Amino acid sequence: MSANRRFRNVTRIGPVQVATSYDGRGREKHTAACTAPRCNFSADYDSRAAELAARTHRCPVR
């Protein structure tokens, strides 16, 4: 299955981008993903906890 999502409400907190989208069942999901090179952090949440994850994320790669 392809993960073709349309993101809205995209914000950036440090190197992490937080966005809102709808999953395949029409439920609202919040995604946090780090844009730093070689940092593979990304997570989906049901609530705006993605913003908290973005604020507390520390990249292991320096």
Side-chain angles (χ1 to χ4, degrees):
M1 179 188 314
S2 90
N4 187 9
R5 298 180 182 170
R6 292 182 185 231
F7 292 105
R8 57 188 175 84
N9 296 336
V10 178
T11 59
R12 188 173 183 98
I13 301 172
V16 181
Q17 285 188 338
V18 179
T20 304
S21 66
Y22 289 103
D23 66 359
R25 297 183 180 196
R27 295 177 297 206
E28 191 174 61
K29 294 288 184 178
H30 305 278
T31 303
C34 186
T35 59
R38 297 184 316 237
C39 180
N40 294 326
F41 170 75
S42 68
D44 290 330
Y45 298 93
D46 292 331
S47 64
R48 291 300 288 188
E51 289 183 7
L52 178 62
R55 292 182 199 286
T56 59
H57 173 67
R58 299 290 177 255
C59 290
V61 179
R62 295 272 174 184

